[in-house]
Amino acid sequence: MTEIILALDVMKKDKAVSIVQKAAPYIDKVKIGYPLVLAEGLGIAEILSEYKKPLIADFKVADIPNTTRLIAEEVFSRGFSAIICHGFVGHDSVRACVETAHENMGECYVVTEMSHPGAVDFFHGGVAERIAELVCEAGADGIIAPATRPERTAVLRSLIGNKKILSPGVGAQGGDPDAIAGIVDGIIVGRAIYESSDPAAAARQYSCFRTGI
Ligand code: O7E
């Protein structure tokens, strides 16, 4: 079973609520990041909590350990269930994020390789693999790996064992859910759902990956 995670990159509270309300039966979690939080504030988390979907804070934290801890503490105090940080910042910053998440009964996911074309400029050549090793050493709950490059995500899967993989890039970025669903634990989908004239129907299209049938 692969979870469907809605990337809620809309800029208005009303639209955010409406999309979650419509897509709720067909999604497992909601990922919120800079677009919505900068536009509407972190209080949007409390508003969306009404829909009982675990909220993932996608701030791709990339800072020194102390600042990372401050950001993570604020995130978990607002009811998020997970936080995402970058891995290239190194072991102490990743550990700070993992520890703060676990102290708050939350999860920490680490970006190993991104989904856009330019990601190959720095993540290839062994960097993503090193980050995957760091994820295991730091005790993180899982990684973010690209749906746009299933062959790379398969390599990263071989390095992290049964830790979770959440994978963005399906839909608008061209990633094929059939090619990635079997390798990962969650597919992150944004525009293919929230830009649709019928977000419920758009989200429902991914239901086969949730049930495995
Ligand atoms: O392309 P979309 O509209 O389906 O949205 C994809 C979402 O996943 C969007 O929020 C984007 O910021 C995020 N994302 C990527 O697209 N690629 C990555 O490599 C990483 C992320 C991401 O969410 O990282 C943390 C999970």
Side-chain angles (χ1 to χ4, degrees):
M1 175 186 152
T2 308
E3 291 188 328
I4 305 303
I5 300 164
L6 171 64
L8 196 56
D9 296 327
V10 298
M11 308 301 286
K12 293 280 179 217
K13 180 187 78 178
D14 291 351
K15 177 146 193 199
V17 168
S18 159
I19 301 279
V20 173
Q21 206 168 28
K22 289 173 181 153
Y26 312 108
I27 60 171
D28 299 286
K29 293 178 179 160
V30 177
K31 181 179 82 69
I32 300 171
Y34 291 112
L36 183 55
V37 168
L38 290 176
E40 294 286 6
L42 207 46
I44 190 75
E46 196 183 334
I47 294 169
L48 293 175
S49 66
E50 186 190 326
Y51 299 94
K52 311 283 180 222
K53 301 291 175 186
L55 298 176
I56 302 175
D58 176 15
F59 298 129
K60 296 185 186 69
V61 186
D63 218 313
I64 62 168
N66 185 62
T67 310
T68 297
R69 182 171 279 280
L70 294 173
I71 294 168
E73 280 169 354
E74 184 62 21
V75 158
F76 287 108
S77 77
R78 299 301 192 105
F80 285 87
S81 69
I83 189 167
I84 293 164
C85 70
H86 263 300
F88 64 77
V89 285
H91 68 276
D92 47 358
S93 288
V94 171
R95 280 216 180 96
C97 204
V98 171
E99 282 169 14
T100 312
H102 292 176
E103 283 161 19
N104 288 278
M105 309 301 154
E107 292 184 310
C108 175
Y109 292 86
V110 181
V111 178
T112 50
E113 174 172 328
M114 296 188 72
S115 60
H116 58 303
V120 304
D121 294 348
F122 290 102
F123 285 106
H124 281 195
V127 172
E129 286 83 349
R130 283 175 61 192
I131 295 173
E133 286 166 15
L134 169 57
V135 164
C136 296
E137 288 159 18
D141 299 278
I143 64 170
I144 308 298
T148 47
R149 286 180 223 99
E151 71 290 353
R152 289 287 304 151
T153 296
V155 169
L156 296 168
R157 163 62 76 204
S158 73
L159 296 174
I160 63 158
N162 61 5
K163 287 191 184 291
K164 293 184 208 164
I165 303 182
L166 309 185
S167 191
V170 165
Q173 295 180 53
D176 174 7
D178 285 310
I180 196 76
I183 311 173
V184 303
D185 302 275
I187 296 173
I188 298 172
V189 189
R191 286 164 287 178
I193 295 175
Y194 69 72
E195 285 185 349
S196 168
S197 57
D198 187 346
R204 194 169 54 231
Q205 286 182 350
Y206 297 99
S207 288
C208 55
F209 302 108
R210 293 173 89 194
T211 57
I213 47 175

mmCIF file of all heavy atoms in Angstrom, residues 155-208:
data_model
loop_
_atom_site.group_PDB
_atom_site.id
_atom_site.type_symbol
_atom_site.label_atom_id
_atom_site.label_comp_id
_atom_site.label_asym_id
_atom_site.label_seq_id
_atom_site.Cartn_x
_atom_site.Cartn_y
_atom_site.Cartn_z
ATOM 1 N N VAL A 155 17.800 2.722 -6.248
ATOM 2 C CA VAL A 155 19.151 2.650 -5.667
ATOM 3 C C VAL A 155 19.113 3.099 -4.206
ATOM 4 O O VAL A 155 19.678 2.452 -3.311
ATOM 5 C CB VAL A 155 20.148 3.532 -6.469
ATOM 6 C CG1 VAL A 155 21.464 3.688 -5.722
ATOM 7 C CG2 VAL A 155 20.380 2.960 -7.855
ATOM 8 N N LEU A 156 18.404 4.206 -3.972
ATOM 9 C CA LEU A 156 18.324 4.735 -2.604
ATOM 10 C C LEU A 156 17.572 3.755 -1.704
ATOM 11 O O LEU A 156 17.944 3.562 -0.545
ATOM 12 C CB LEU A 156 17.678 6.125 -2.611
ATOM 13 C CG LEU A 156 18.510 7.177 -3.373
ATOM 14 C CD1 LEU A 156 17.711 8.452 -3.607
ATOM 15 C CD2 LEU A 156 19.804 7.486 -2.614
ATOM 16 N N ARG A 157 16.541 3.107 -2.240
ATOM 17 C CA ARG A 157 15.816 2.078 -1.470
ATOM 18 C C ARG A 157 16.781 0.975 -1.017
ATOM 19 O O ARG A 157 16.730 0.522 0.126
ATOM 20 C CB ARG A 157 14.681 1.504 -2.329
ATOM 21 C CG ARG A 157 14.110 0.182 -1.859
ATOM 22 C CD ARG A 157 13.481 0.263 -0.466
ATOM 23 N NE ARG A 157 12.179 0.900 -0.450
ATOM 24 C CZ ARG A 157 11.651 1.490 0.645
ATOM 25 N NH1 ARG A 157 12.333 1.547 1.775
ATOM 26 N NH2 ARG A 157 10.460 2.025 0.608
ATOM 27 N N SER A 158 17.695 0.598 -1.889
ATOM 28 C CA SER A 158 18.614 -0.493 -1.535
ATOM 29 C C SER A 158 19.556 -0.082 -0.398
ATOM 30 O O SER A 158 20.100 -0.933 0.304
ATOM 31 C CB SER A 158 19.421 -0.932 -2.754
ATOM 32 O OG SER A 158 20.390 0.057 -3.074
ATOM 33 N N LEU A 159 19.730 1.226 -0.210
ATOM 34 C CA LEU A 159 20.637 1.706 0.842
ATOM 35 C C LEU A 159 19.938 1.931 2.181
ATOM 36 O O LEU A 159 20.590 1.927 3.228
ATOM 37 C CB LEU A 159 21.291 3.033 0.404
ATOM 38 C CG LEU A 159 22.204 2.943 -0.819
ATOM 39 C CD1 LEU A 159 22.671 4.331 -1.228
ATOM 40 C CD2 LEU A 159 23.399 2.043 -0.521
ATOM 41 N N ILE A 160 18.625 2.151 2.156
ATOM 42 C CA ILE A 160 17.939 2.502 3.411
ATOM 43 C C ILE A 160 17.052 1.394 3.960
ATOM 44 O O ILE A 160 16.410 1.570 5.001
ATOM 45 C CB ILE A 160 17.090 3.797 3.271
ATOM 46 C CG1 ILE A 160 15.978 3.589 2.231
ATOM 47 C CG2 ILE A 160 17.971 4.997 2.933
ATOM 48 C CD1 ILE A 160 14.839 4.564 2.414
ATOM 49 N N GLY A 161 17.015 0.266 3.247
ATOM 50 C CA GLY A 161 16.218 -0.859 3.760
ATOM 51 C C GLY A 161 14.756 -0.503 3.887
ATOM 52 O O GLY A 161 14.154 0.043 2.970
ATOM 53 N N ASN A 162 14.200 -0.771 5.084
ATOM 54 C CA ASN A 162 12.753 -0.568 5.220
ATOM 55 C C ASN A 162 12.363 0.793 5.807
ATOM 56 O O ASN A 162 11.232 0.977 6.231
ATOM 57 C CB ASN A 162 12.108 -1.707 6.010
ATOM 58 C CG ASN A 162 12.687 -1.792 7.408
ATOM 59 O OD1 ASN A 162 13.495 -0.943 7.801
ATOM 60 N ND2 ASN A 162 12.292 -2.816 8.151
ATOM 61 N N LYS A 163 13.287 1.745 5.805
ATOM 62 C CA LYS A 163 12.856 3.118 6.146
ATOM 63 C C LYS A 163 11.896 3.595 5.049
ATOM 64 O O LYS A 163 11.906 3.079 3.943
ATOM 65 C CB LYS A 163 14.059 4.054 6.241
ATOM 66 C CG LYS A 163 14.891 3.810 7.485
ATOM 67 C CD LYS A 163 15.892 4.911 7.690
ATOM 68 C CE LYS A 163 16.777 4.603 8.894
ATOM 69 N NZ LYS A 163 16.067 4.671 10.178
ATOM 70 N N LYS A 164 11.088 4.602 5.394
ATOM 71 C CA LYS A 164 10.065 5.012 4.436
ATOM 72 C C LYS A 164 10.633 5.928 3.344
ATOM 73 O O LYS A 164 11.599 6.661 3.577
ATOM 74 C CB LYS A 164 8.944 5.749 5.171
ATOM 75 C CG LYS A 164 8.159 4.837 6.099
ATOM 76 C CD LYS A 164 7.009 5.603 6.709
ATOM 77 C CE LYS A 164 6.644 5.056 8.057
ATOM 78 N NZ LYS A 164 5.824 5.974 8.829
ATOM 79 N N ILE A 165 10.006 5.854 2.176
ATOM 80 C CA ILE A 165 10.333 6.788 1.086
ATOM 81 C C ILE A 165 9.053 7.513 0.680
ATOM 82 O O ILE A 165 8.045 6.880 0.373
ATOM 83 C CB ILE A 165 10.898 6.073 -0.157
ATOM 84 C CG1 ILE A 165 12.143 5.257 0.197
ATOM 85 C CG2 ILE A 165 11.206 7.103 -1.256
ATOM 86 C CD1 ILE A 165 12.789 4.548 -0.990
ATOM 87 N N LEU A 166 9.119 8.843 0.708
ATOM 88 C CA LEU A 166 8.033 9.668 0.178
ATOM 89 C C LEU A 166 8.558 10.283 -1.116
ATOM 90 O O LEU A 166 9.679 10.801 -1.153
ATOM 91 C CB LEU A 166 7.630 10.760 1.175
ATOM 92 C CG LEU A 166 7.329 10.299 2.607
ATOM 93 C CD1 LEU A 166 6.833 11.472 3.451
ATOM 94 C CD2 LEU A 166 6.323 9.145 2.619
ATOM 95 N N SER A 167 7.717 10.229 -2.163
ATOM 96 C CA SER A 167 8.253 10.542 -3.481
ATOM 97 C C SER A 167 7.425 11.585 -4.233
ATOM 98 O O SER A 167 6.292 11.319 -4.629
ATOM 99 C CB SER A 167 8.316 9.240 -4.288
ATOM 100 O OG SER A 167 9.043 9.419 -5.459
ATOM 101 N N PRO A 168 8.008 12.775 -4.437
ATOM 102 C CA PRO A 168 7.323 13.807 -5.220
ATOM 103 C C PRO A 168 7.714 13.719 -6.695
ATOM 104 O O PRO A 168 8.750 13.150 -7.038
ATOM 105 C CB PRO A 168 7.860 15.103 -4.599
ATOM 106 C CG PRO A 168 9.232 14.748 -4.119
ATOM 107 C CD PRO A 168 9.267 13.263 -3.849
ATOM 108 N N GLY A 169 6.863 14.330 -7.534
ATOM 109 C CA GLY A 169 7.195 14.395 -8.955
ATOM 110 C C GLY A 169 6.184 13.690 -9.845
ATOM 111 O O GLY A 169 6.295 13.717 -11.070
ATOM 112 N N VAL A 170 5.174 13.069 -9.217
ATOM 113 C CA VAL A 170 4.109 12.432 -9.992
ATOM 114 C C VAL A 170 3.171 13.509 -10.532
ATOM 115 O O VAL A 170 2.878 14.484 -9.857
ATOM 116 C CB VAL A 170 3.323 11.446 -9.085
ATOM 117 C CG1 VAL A 170 2.005 11.041 -9.721
ATOM 118 C CG2 VAL A 170 4.178 10.224 -8.783
ATOM 119 N N GLY A 171 2.705 13.327 -11.758
ATOM 120 C CA GLY A 171 1.727 14.278 -12.311
ATOM 121 C C GLY A 171 2.409 15.409 -13.040
ATOM 122 O O GLY A 171 3.027 15.203 -14.089
ATOM 123 N N ALA A 172 2.341 16.619 -12.476
ATOM 124 C CA ALA A 172 2.815 17.822 -13.172
ATOM 125 C C ALA A 172 4.283 17.736 -13.598
ATOM 126 O O ALA A 172 4.672 18.287 -14.626
ATOM 127 C CB ALA A 172 2.597 19.046 -12.289
ATOM 128 N N GLN A 173 5.101 17.042 -12.829
ATOM 129 C CA GLN A 173 6.528 16.940 -13.178
ATOM 130 C C GLN A 173 6.824 15.740 -14.083
ATOM 131 O O GLN A 173 7.979 15.476 -14.420
ATOM 132 C CB GLN A 173 7.379 16.860 -11.915
ATOM 133 C CG GLN A 173 7.319 18.122 -11.061
ATOM 134 C CD GLN A 173 8.170 18.023 -9.804
ATOM 135 O OE1 GLN A 173 9.346 17.712 -9.856
ATOM 136 N NE2 GLN A 173 7.550 18.273 -8.656
ATOM 137 N N GLY A 174 5.791 15.001 -14.418
ATOM 138 C CA GLY A 174 5.952 13.915 -15.393
ATOM 139 C C GLY A 174 6.224 12.541 -14.825
ATOM 140 O O GLY A 174 6.346 11.570 -15.570
ATOM 141 N N GLY A 175 6.344 12.431 -13.510
ATOM 142 C CA GLY A 175 6.611 11.112 -12.906
ATOM 143 C C GLY A 175 5.424 10.177 -13.091
ATOM 144 O O GLY A 175 4.273 10.595 -12.965
ATOM 145 N N ASP A 176 5.722 8.913 -13.395
ATOM 146 C CA ASP A 176 4.681 7.914 -13.652
ATOM 147 C C ASP A 176 4.397 7.151 -12.357
ATOM 148 O O ASP A 176 5.275 6.437 -11.857
ATOM 149 C CB ASP A 176 5.191 6.960 -14.753
ATOM 150 C CG ASP A 176 4.254 5.798 -14.985
ATOM 151 O OD1 ASP A 176 3.149 5.779 -14.415
ATOM 152 O OD2 ASP A 176 4.653 4.896 -15.752
ATOM 153 N N PRO A 177 3.190 7.273 -11.806
ATOM 154 C CA PRO A 177 2.914 6.589 -10.535
ATOM 155 C C PRO A 177 3.067 5.076 -10.621
ATOM 156 O O PRO A 177 3.477 4.434 -9.667
ATOM 157 C CB PRO A 177 1.470 6.994 -10.212
ATOM 158 C CG PRO A 177 0.901 7.547 -11.474
ATOM 159 C CD PRO A 177 2.044 8.036 -12.289
ATOM 160 N N ASP A 178 2.769 4.492 -11.804
ATOM 161 C CA ASP A 178 2.917 3.035 -11.949
ATOM 162 C C ASP A 178 4.373 2.613 -11.766
ATOM 163 O O ASP A 178 4.650 1.520 -11.288
ATOM 164 C CB ASP A 178 2.449 2.586 -13.338
ATOM 165 C CG ASP A 178 0.939 2.602 -13.433
ATOM 166 O OD1 ASP A 178 0.292 2.040 -12.545
ATOM 167 O OD2 ASP A 178 0.425 3.214 -14.385
ATOM 168 N N ALA A 179 5.287 3.486 -12.179
ATOM 169 C CA ALA A 179 6.709 3.128 -12.126
ATOM 170 C C ALA A 179 7.299 3.290 -10.735
ATOM 171 O O ALA A 179 8.296 2.663 -10.400
ATOM 172 C CB ALA A 179 7.488 3.989 -13.124
ATOM 173 N N ILE A 180 6.684 4.134 -9.907
ATOM 174 C CA ILE A 180 7.300 4.456 -8.621
ATOM 175 C C ILE A 180 6.577 3.824 -7.435
ATOM 176 O O ILE A 180 7.190 3.549 -6.393
ATOM 177 C CB ILE A 180 7.407 6.000 -8.438
ATOM 178 C CG1 ILE A 180 8.387 6.372 -7.313
ATOM 179 C CG2 ILE A 180 6.053 6.644 -8.173
ATOM 180 C CD1 ILE A 180 9.828 6.252 -7.664
ATOM 181 N N ALA A 181 5.272 3.580 -7.578
ATOM 182 C CA ALA A 181 4.466 3.187 -6.410
ATOM 183 C C ALA A 181 5.001 1.943 -5.707
ATOM 184 O O ALA A 181 4.960 1.856 -4.473
ATOM 185 C CB ALA A 181 3.007 2.990 -6.822
ATOM 186 N N GLY A 182 5.522 0.993 -6.480
ATOM 187 C CA GLY A 182 5.979 -0.249 -5.878
ATOM 188 C C GLY A 182 7.252 -0.109 -5.058
ATOM 189 O O GLY A 182 7.589 -1.002 -4.257
ATOM 190 N N ILE A 183 7.957 1.004 -5.238
ATOM 191 C CA ILE A 183 9.252 1.196 -4.551
ATOM 192 C C ILE A 183 9.090 2.034 -3.290
ATOM 193 O O ILE A 183 9.922 1.982 -2.397
ATOM 194 C CB ILE A 183 10.250 1.936 -5.484
ATOM 195 C CG1 ILE A 183 10.311 1.301 -6.869
ATOM 196 C CG2 ILE A 183 11.640 2.000 -4.874
ATOM 197 C CD1 ILE A 183 11.151 2.112 -7.861
ATOM 198 N N VAL A 184 8.028 2.852 -3.239
ATOM 199 C CA VAL A 184 7.942 3.873 -2.185
ATOM 200 C C VAL A 184 6.741 3.652 -1.261
ATOM 201 O O VAL A 184 5.855 2.851 -1.548
ATOM 202 C CB VAL A 184 7.878 5.295 -2.806
ATOM 203 C CG1 VAL A 184 9.090 5.552 -3.691
ATOM 204 C CG2 VAL A 184 6.586 5.512 -3.586
ATOM 205 N N ASP A 185 6.740 4.419 -0.169
ATOM 206 C CA ASP A 185 5.664 4.303 0.823
ATOM 207 C C ASP A 185 4.607 5.381 0.638
ATOM 208 O O ASP A 185 3.498 5.264 1.156
ATOM 209 C CB ASP A 185 6.266 4.407 2.226
ATOM 210 C CG ASP A 185 7.310 3.328 2.433
ATOM 211 O OD1 ASP A 185 6.929 2.213 2.795
ATOM 212 O OD2 ASP A 185 8.501 3.597 2.168
ATOM 213 N N GLY A 186 4.983 6.468 -0.038
ATOM 214 C CA GLY A 186 4.029 7.548 -0.248
ATOM 215 C C GLY A 186 4.348 8.297 -1.527
ATOM 216 O O GLY A 186 5.512 8.523 -1.862
ATOM 217 N N ILE A 187 3.290 8.647 -2.259
ATOM 218 C CA ILE A 187 3.450 9.476 -3.460
ATOM 219 C C ILE A 187 2.943 10.874 -3.106
ATOM 220 O O ILE A 187 1.830 11.027 -2.587
ATOM 221 C CB ILE A 187 2.595 8.919 -4.620
ATOM 222 C CG1 ILE A 187 3.092 7.536 -5.033
ATOM 223 C CG2 ILE A 187 2.631 9.851 -5.819
ATOM 224 C CD1 ILE A 187 2.172 6.876 -6.049
ATOM 225 N N ILE A 188 3.767 11.887 -3.372
ATOM 226 C CA ILE A 188 3.383 13.272 -3.094
ATOM 227 C C ILE A 188 2.841 13.888 -4.382
ATOM 228 O O ILE A 188 3.556 13.920 -5.397
ATOM 229 C CB ILE A 188 4.602 14.074 -2.589
ATOM 230 C CG1 ILE A 188 5.129 13.478 -1.270
ATOM 231 C CG2 ILE A 188 4.247 15.538 -2.425
ATOM 232 C CD1 ILE A 188 6.446 14.075 -0.792
ATOM 233 N N VAL A 189 1.605 14.347 -4.357
ATOM 234 C CA VAL A 189 0.979 14.913 -5.559
ATOM 235 C C VAL A 189 0.411 16.295 -5.240
ATOM 236 O O VAL A 189 -0.364 16.433 -4.291
ATOM 237 C CB VAL A 189 -0.166 14.024 -6.079
ATOM 238 C CG1 VAL A 189 -0.629 14.521 -7.443
ATOM 239 C CG2 VAL A 189 0.240 12.567 -6.144
ATOM 240 N N GLY A 190 0.804 17.274 -6.024
ATOM 241 C CA GLY A 190 0.304 18.629 -5.815
ATOM 242 C C GLY A 190 -0.614 19.089 -6.922
ATOM 243 O O GLY A 190 -1.818 18.868 -6.895
ATOM 244 N N ARG A 191 -0.026 19.714 -7.955
ATOM 245 C CA ARG A 191 -0.827 20.361 -8.990
ATOM 246 C C ARG A 191 -1.829 19.439 -9.667
ATOM 247 O O ARG A 191 -2.923 19.881 -10.030
ATOM 248 C CB ARG A 191 0.106 20.994 -10.044
ATOM 249 C CG ARG A 191 0.778 22.249 -9.534
ATOM 250 C CD ARG A 191 1.960 22.651 -10.402
ATOM 251 N NE ARG A 191 3.107 21.774 -10.207
ATOM 252 C CZ ARG A 191 4.259 21.886 -10.868
ATOM 253 N NH1 ARG A 191 4.399 22.833 -11.781
ATOM 254 N NH2 ARG A 191 5.263 21.066 -10.618
ATOM 255 N N ALA A 192 -1.478 18.182 -9.852
ATOM 256 C CA ALA A 192 -2.400 17.261 -10.533
ATOM 257 C C ALA A 192 -3.712 17.144 -9.769
ATOM 258 O O ALA A 192 -4.741 16.778 -10.345
ATOM 259 C CB ALA A 192 -1.751 15.890 -10.706
ATOM 260 N N ILE A 193 -3.696 17.488 -8.474
ATOM 261 C CA ILE A 193 -4.935 17.467 -7.693
ATOM 262 C C ILE A 193 -5.469 18.884 -7.495
ATOM 263 O O ILE A 193 -6.600 19.187 -7.845
ATOM 264 C CB ILE A 193 -4.718 16.782 -6.325
ATOM 265 C CG1 ILE A 193 -4.373 15.299 -6.526
ATOM 266 C CG2 ILE A 193 -5.964 16.939 -5.438
ATOM 267 C CD1 ILE A 193 -4.030 14.543 -5.250
ATOM 268 N N TYR A 194 -4.622 19.801 -6.969
ATOM 269 C CA TYR A 194 -5.205 21.096 -6.570
ATOM 270 C C TYR A 194 -5.482 22.036 -7.741
ATOM 271 O O TYR A 194 -6.231 22.994 -7.589
ATOM 272 C CB TYR A 194 -4.389 21.783 -5.469
ATOM 273 C CG TYR A 194 -3.009 22.307 -5.834
ATOM 274 C CD1 TYR A 194 -2.838 23.430 -6.624
ATOM 275 C CD2 TYR A 194 -1.877 21.680 -5.319
ATOM 276 C CE1 TYR A 194 -1.570 23.906 -6.935
ATOM 277 C CE2 TYR A 194 -0.606 22.153 -5.617
ATOM 278 C CZ TYR A 194 -0.458 23.260 -6.430
ATOM 279 O OH TYR A 194 0.790 23.727 -6.734
ATOM 280 N N GLU A 195 -4.897 21.769 -8.912
ATOM 281 C CA GLU A 195 -5.227 22.599 -10.080
ATOM 282 C C GLU A 195 -6.367 22.003 -10.901
ATOM 283 O O GLU A 195 -6.816 22.603 -11.880
ATOM 284 C CB GLU A 195 -3.988 22.781 -10.979
ATOM 285 C CG GLU A 195 -2.986 23.758 -10.397
ATOM 286 C CD GLU A 195 -1.820 24.038 -11.336
ATOM 287 O OE1 GLU A 195 -1.670 23.333 -12.355
ATOM 288 O OE2 GLU A 195 -1.050 24.964 -11.023
ATOM 289 N N SER A 196 -6.822 20.829 -10.516
ATOM 290 C CA SER A 196 -7.902 20.184 -11.256
ATOM 291 C C SER A 196 -9.232 20.889 -10.978
ATOM 292 O O SER A 196 -9.463 21.380 -9.875
ATOM 293 C CB SER A 196 -7.996 18.716 -10.834
ATOM 294 O OG SER A 196 -9.189 18.153 -11.324
ATOM 295 N N SER A 197 -10.106 20.899 -11.976
ATOM 296 C CA SER A 197 -11.439 21.469 -11.759
ATOM 297 C C SER A 197 -12.257 20.559 -10.852
ATOM 298 O O SER A 197 -13.266 20.973 -10.300
ATOM 299 C CB SER A 197 -12.150 21.681 -13.094
ATOM 300 O OG SER A 197 -12.200 20.448 -13.778
ATOM 301 N N ASP A 198 -11.798 19.310 -10.695
ATOM 302 C CA ASP A 198 -12.493 18.356 -9.829
ATOM 303 C C ASP A 198 -11.437 17.647 -8.963
ATOM 304 O O ASP A 198 -11.001 16.532 -9.272
ATOM 305 C CB ASP A 198 -13.256 17.345 -10.692
ATOM 306 C CG ASP A 198 -14.137 16.420 -9.865
ATOM 307 O OD1 ASP A 198 -13.966 16.376 -8.624
ATOM 308 O OD2 ASP A 198 -14.985 15.751 -10.466
ATOM 309 N N PRO A 199 -11.013 18.310 -7.868
ATOM 310 C CA PRO A 199 -9.916 17.741 -7.050
ATOM 311 C C PRO A 199 -10.242 16.362 -6.475
ATOM 312 O O PRO A 199 -9.341 15.528 -6.322
ATOM 313 C CB PRO A 199 -9.747 18.775 -5.928
ATOM 314 C CG PRO A 199 -10.339 20.032 -6.455
ATOM 315 C CD PRO A 199 -11.448 19.616 -7.372
ATOM 316 N N ALA A 200 -11.511 16.125 -6.188
ATOM 317 C CA ALA A 200 -11.869 14.807 -5.648
ATOM 318 C C ALA A 200 -11.610 13.727 -6.688
ATOM 319 O O ALA A 200 -10.988 12.695 -6.397
ATOM 320 C CB ALA A 200 -13.331 14.795 -5.207
ATOM 321 N N ALA A 201 -12.075 13.967 -7.915
ATOM 322 C CA ALA A 201 -11.869 12.986 -8.980
ATOM 323 C C ALA A 201 -10.380 12.823 -9.275
ATOM 324 O O ALA A 201 -9.897 11.702 -9.510
ATOM 325 C CB ALA A 201 -12.616 13.413 -10.235
ATOM 326 N N ALA A 202 -9.657 13.936 -9.248
ATOM 327 C CA ALA A 202 -8.217 13.867 -9.526
ATOM 328 C C ALA A 202 -7.509 13.030 -8.458
ATOM 329 O O ALA A 202 -6.649 12.196 -8.770
ATOM 330 C CB ALA A 202 -7.634 15.275 -9.575
ATOM 331 N N ALA A 203 -7.877 13.238 -7.196
ATOM 332 C CA ALA A 203 -7.249 12.468 -6.115
ATOM 333 C C ALA A 203 -7.663 10.996 -6.185
ATOM 334 O O ALA A 203 -6.853 10.099 -5.943
ATOM 335 C CB ALA A 203 -7.636 13.067 -4.763
ATOM 336 N N ARG A 204 -8.912 10.767 -6.561
ATOM 337 C CA ARG A 204 -9.425 9.393 -6.624
ATOM 338 C C ARG A 204 -8.648 8.553 -7.642
ATOM 339 O O ARG A 204 -8.522 7.345 -7.508
ATOM 340 C CB ARG A 204 -10.916 9.410 -6.983
ATOM 341 C CG ARG A 204 -11.617 8.070 -6.749
ATOM 342 C CD ARG A 204 -13.121 8.203 -6.854
ATOM 343 N NE ARG A 204 -13.527 8.804 -8.115
ATOM 344 C CZ ARG A 204 -14.354 9.838 -8.242
ATOM 345 N NH1 ARG A 204 -14.891 10.391 -7.190
ATOM 346 N NH2 ARG A 204 -14.672 10.327 -9.441
ATOM 347 N N GLN A 205 -8.114 9.205 -8.672
ATOM 348 C CA GLN A 205 -7.353 8.473 -9.702
ATOM 349 C C GLN A 205 -6.159 7.725 -9.109
ATOM 350 O O GLN A 205 -5.657 6.778 -9.700
ATOM 351 C CB GLN A 205 -6.806 9.444 -10.747
ATOM 352 C CG GLN A 205 -7.861 9.966 -11.687
ATOM 353 C CD GLN A 205 -7.256 10.879 -12.738
ATOM 354 O OE1 GLN A 205 -6.084 11.251 -12.643
ATOM 355 N NE2 GLN A 205 -8.041 11.241 -13.723
ATOM 356 N N TYR A 206 -5.708 8.185 -7.948
ATOM 357 C CA TYR A 206 -4.537 7.542 -7.332
ATOM 358 C C TYR A 206 -4.933 6.469 -6.320
ATOM 359 O O TYR A 206 -4.064 5.855 -5.697
ATOM 360 C CB TYR A 206 -3.653 8.603 -6.663
ATOM 361 C CG TYR A 206 -3.093 9.592 -7.650
ATOM 362 C CD1 TYR A 206 -3.676 10.838 -7.822
ATOM 363 C CD2 TYR A 206 -2.004 9.260 -8.450
ATOM 364 C CE1 TYR A 206 -3.190 11.746 -8.752
ATOM 365 C CE2 TYR A 206 -1.505 10.153 -9.384
ATOM 366 C CZ TYR A 206 -2.110 11.400 -9.530
ATOM 367 O OH TYR A 206 -1.612 12.275 -10.467
ATOM 368 N N SER A 207 -6.224 6.268 -6.147
ATOM 369 C CA SER A 207 -6.700 5.336 -5.111
ATOM 370 C C SER A 207 -6.179 3.921 -5.299
ATOM 371 O O SER A 207 -5.989 3.187 -4.329
ATOM 372 C CB SER A 207 -8.235 5.293 -5.092
ATOM 373 O OG SER A 207 -8.725 6.490 -4.566
ATOM 374 N N CYS A 208 -5.972 3.521 -6.556
ATOM 375 C CA CYS A 208 -5.502 2.146 -6.800
ATOM 376 C C CYS A 208 -4.153 1.902 -6.126
ATOM 377 O O CYS A 208 -3.854 0.775 -5.731
ATOM 378 C CB CYS A 208 -5.425 1.869 -8.290
ATOM 379 S SG CYS A 208 -4.406 3.051 -9.182
#
